[in-house]
Amino acid sequence: MQKSKGITNAKGITGCRFSLSVMSDNYAAMILDAIGRVNTRHVWCATDALSTVYRGTRPHVVEGVRAVFTAVNDGKTHITLDATFSSGCPNDQAADYVGTDTTPVMGDYGASFPVIGKIAFYPLGAADYMEHISAVAQMAEAFHVNMKASHYATELAGDVNNIFAYFNHVLAYAEENITHYVLHAMLSVNSPGLKRSESHVELI
Amino acid sequence: MQKSKGITNAKGITGCRFSLSVMSDNYAAMILDAIGRVNTRHVWCATDALSTVYRGTRPHVVEGVRAVFTAVNDGKTHITLDATFSSGCPNDQAADYVGTDTTPVMGDYGASFPVIGKIAFYPLGAADYMEHISAVAQMAEAFHVNMKASHYATELAGDVNNIFAYFNHVLAYAEENITHYVLHAMLSVNSPGLKRSESHVELI
């Protein structure tokens, strides 16, 4: 969709810290397999006991996380992705990233499948942060992503590829307009869904 | 630890949107059982397909989330809790909460177990947000919670009860000093841990 830009300092680095949760006895093998199958030559990677961090140019990072989420989805197991995209932290340094690259990404979308989720967008240090949050919510419609306001997050639903294209667009907007920002997303596939949700409510 | 205060408007309401991920074929029953066993008479509750929301006074909300996380832990299954605590959103309304209550909470801690996790603190609309983030990180030591700076989050480790007491303290500080804020936490129990993490790194 867009070519990556040259990185001259940490401000050109977008990162994502993400965790996959696989609701299956076989979770470890499924996660390792998915991560192993994703081409990550354009992003810097590190994993701790809780999550994996990708750092690089925005389109490569977004595409990498999309690819991992697509790779882990076997079409039946309930899986969630918790992802924190961010850029512009004043304490960030121009380290832990892979050099510039101009390979177009986000062109080959791979598998399509329906996803539900939630997002929260946090512009930091900005007095007009509510306006940016509102602008970001309004961008979803053009990507065919359905949004619903809720407490402490905006719920969303749509095709996985549309959702990641929307995330890339939100982060491009943030790059242009906000010094330091965080996009927190949780995505879910193969959820037992509303039926289970209703029994939750009854139990509470 | 502290008595809850009377709520006169939405600013007195603390909320938490949380999701449990249980890495087991038996995840649905384990989650339903845990949620059913927690006493939530002092918080407003709602569940959608992805997460549960508690709203009420700060100590009751923190204690409720701690109790759910403790209730779901069977001492062997890998489980994560993703929790977004927040208060002060300009769009929030004085609705969807349970009335004032002065019952002391957070006195009976129940089970103790080791937890690893990560947190990120987002003060919104504040030019001096980095100072608040730094202040919050420095509070951990007094609660015997170990912290380690990382990309896009601060890693933490400690006893589950110390960690939630720390969260309550952070949110009390935020109530006093910041108009609108979000504390995002992910906690993990019974993780295969570093060994699995190392093989992640090799695979990447």
Side-chain angles (χ1 to χ4, degrees):
Chain A
M1 191 178 281
Q2 293 189 33
K3 290 195 177 183
S4 50
K5 299 182 297 187
I7 293 173
T8 53
N9 57 44
K11 285 207 179 301
I13 303 174
T14 292
C16 184
R17 172 179 283 273
F18 66 92
S19 305
L20 290 168
S21 296
V22 175
M23 268 49 89
S24 161
D25 292 348
N26 194 34
Y27 72 98
M30 287 177 69
I31 293 172
L32 292 173
D33 176 68
I35 289 181
R37 278 193 285 136
V38 169
N39 175 350
T40 54
R41 72 182 188 280
H42 296 310
V43 295
W44 177 90
C45 307
T47 300
D48 57 40
L50 206 62
S51 44
T52 294
V53 175
Y54 283 178
R55 280 163 62 85
T57 56
R58 170 180 39 79
H60 287 117
V61 168
V62 173
E63 170 61 6
V65 178
R66 184 205 65 78
V68 168
F69 188 52
T70 297
V72 78
N73 179 21
D74 63 0
K76 57 188 178 186
T77 307
H78 181 206
I79 299 167
T80 61
L81 167 74
D82 183 89
T84 302
F85 296 93
S86 182
S87 187
C89 178
N91 289 346
D92 198 11
Q93 296 179 346
D96 297 348
Y97 69 94
V98 172
T100 59
D101 175 86
T102 55
T103 313
V105 294
M106 306 200 61
D108 178 14
Y109 274 139
S112 227
F113 52 87
V115 169
I116 60 169
K118 59 176 183 172
I119 62 164
F121 182 61
Y122 307 120
L124 294 163
D128 59 348
Y129 70 102
M130 290 296 287
E131 292 165 36
H132 292 301
I133 291 171
S134 173
V136 159
Q138 285 165 14
M139 289 167 199
E141 193 176 353
F143 290 85
H144 310 290
V145 174
N146 294 322
M147 306 278 272
K148 182 185 156 199
S150 188
H151 287 304
Y152 315 115
T154 303
E155 296 174 41
L156 59 79
D159 177 82
V160 65
N161 299 317
N162 291 340
I163 286 171
F164 277 90
Y166 167 59
F167 288 173
N168 188 49
H169 188 75
V170 167
L171 294 168
Y173 166 85
E175 265 182 8
E176 294 296 322
N177 295 286
I178 306 163
T179 310
H180 181 190
Y181 48 89
V182 173
L183 173 66
H184 179 238
M186 180 179 277
L187 301 181
S188 169
V189 285
N190 312 320
S191 165
L194 283 182
K195 216 160 182 184
R196 181 174 135 240
S197 157
E198 281 163 10
S199 44
H200 265 228
V201 172
E202 283 167 17
L203 274 172
I204 289 167
Chain B
M1 189 179 285
Q2 294 189 31
K3 289 195 177 184
S4 50
K5 300 184 297 189
I7 292 173
T8 53
N9 57 45
K11 285 207 180 301
I13 303 174
T14 293
C16 183
R17 173 178 282 273
F18 66 92
S19 304
L20 290 168
S21 296
V22 175
M23 267 48 89
S24 161
D25 292 349
N26 194 34
Y27 71 97
M30 287 177 68
I31 293 172
L32 292 174
D33 175 68
I35 289 181
R37 278 193 285 136
V38 168
N39 175 350
T40 54
R41 72 181 188 280
H42 296 311
V43 294
W44 177 91
C45 308
T47 300
D48 56 41
L50 208 61
S51 43
T52 294
V53 175
Y54 282 179
R55 280 164 61 87
T57 57
R58 170 179 41 78
H60 287 118
V61 169
V62 174
E63 170 61 5
V65 178
R66 184 205 65 78
V68 169
F69 188 51
T70 298
V72 78
N73 179 21
D74 64 1
K76 57 188 178 185
T77 307
H78 181 206
I79 299 166
T80 61
L81 167 73
D82 182 271
T84 301
F85 296 94
S86 182
S87 187
C89 178
N91 288 346
D92 198 11
Q93 295 179 346
D96 296 348
Y97 68 94
V98 171
T100 60
D101 175 85
T102 55
T103 312
V105 293
M106 305 199 63
D108 178 15
Y109 273 142
S112 225
F113 52 87
V115 170
I116 60 170
K118 59 175 182 172
I119 62 163
F121 183 61
Y122 307 120
L124 293 164
D128 58 349
Y129 71 102
M130 290 297 286
E131 292 165 36
H132 292 301
I133 292 172
S134 173
V136 159
Q138 285 165 13
M139 289 167 198
E141 194 178 351
F143 291 86
H144 310 289
V145 175
N146 294 322
M147 305 279 272
K148 183 185 156 200
S150 187
H151 288 303
Y152 315 116
T154 303
E155 296 174 41
L156 59 78
D159 177 82
V160 64
N161 299 317
N162 290 341
I163 287 172
F164 277 91
Y166 167 59
F167 289 173
N168 188 49
H169 188 75
V170 167
L171 294 168
Y173 166 86
E175 265 182 10
E176 294 297 321
N177 295 285
I178 306 163
T179 310
H180 181 192
Y181 48 88
V182 173
L183 173 66
H184 178 238
M186 181 179 277
L187 301 182
S188 168
V189 285
N190 312 319
S191 166
L194 284 183
K195 218 162 182 181
R196 181 176 135 241
S197 157
E198 281 163 10
S199 44
H200 264 226
V201 173
E202 284 167 17
L203 275 174
I204 289 166

